[in-house]
Amino acid sequence: MRLRFKLCLATLILQFRLLSACVAGVTSPPEPTPTPQPLIDLTVKDLQGEPASLSDLRGEVVLVNFWASWCSPCREEMPLLQTFYQAHHSKGFTLLAINVSEDPEEVAAFIEEQAYTFPVWSDPPEIL
């Protein structure tokens, strides 16, 4: 009987030590994620030459994609982005494609030719 008592006591001590080791690193609950900082407002022009600002899209989920028609990876991803945009636009998602350093008229022709429907803004050379 005494041996059985010693084994139970040893088992309890071992379990207590293992439990103590498991919780030793947990001293307090994790800190909450900090509140995001306000967006930097970006203002360029749309393909019609009108000023366009990122703040105009406040309240929507916005994916900003910088691209160029001469960039082959950009051209490859555009159909996928169009498909995603069509599937999620009604749920408050906007894909904002900002063309980098190309003539807005050429960009407009490319967008029309490909039948993309997401908003496209123009970043002429030396703006951003």
Side-chain angles (χ1 to χ4, degrees):
M1 187 71 149
R2 201 160 169 86
L3 179 61
R4 190 176 213 176
F5 176 75
K6 286 182 180 182
L7 283 175
C8 285
L9 184 61
T11 303
L12 285 173
I13 291 171
L14 180 60
Q15 288 177 346
F16 178 74
R17 286 187 177 178
L18 287 173
L19 183 60
S20 297
C22 289
V23 297
V26 181
T27 57
S28 63
E31 292 188 28
T33 303
T35 304
Q37 298 297 313
L39 270 180
I40 296 172
D41 196 18
L42 171 69
T43 302
V44 291
K45 292 186 177 183
D46 63 18
L47 294 181
Q48 290 73 42
E50 298 296 320
S53 295
L54 195 54
S55 61
D56 296 339
L57 303 173
R58 190 174 313 275
E60 297 185 39
V61 175
V62 180
L63 170 64
V64 178
N65 183 41
F66 291 91
W67 69 283
S69 63
W70 49 262
C71 168
S72 56
C74 300
R75 292 176 71 111
E76 288 176 27
E77 74 182 359
M78 295 289 263
L80 296 172
L81 293 172
Q82 173 66 33
T83 301
F84 190 86
Y85 174 75
Q86 286 177 319
H88 299 282
H89 181 64
S90 64
K91 300 171 191 159
F93 170 78
T94 297
L95 167 63
L96 177 56
I98 300 179
N99 179 267
V100 180
S101 301
E102 292 185 89
D103 182 288
E105 290 177 7
E106 291 176 18
V107 174
F110 173 80
I111 294 299
E112 186 177 331
E113 176 185 306
Q114 300 300 318
Y116 296 134
T117 60
F118 46 79
V120 178
W121 294 356
S122 179
D123 171 32
E126 302 174 9
I127 298 287
L128 292 180

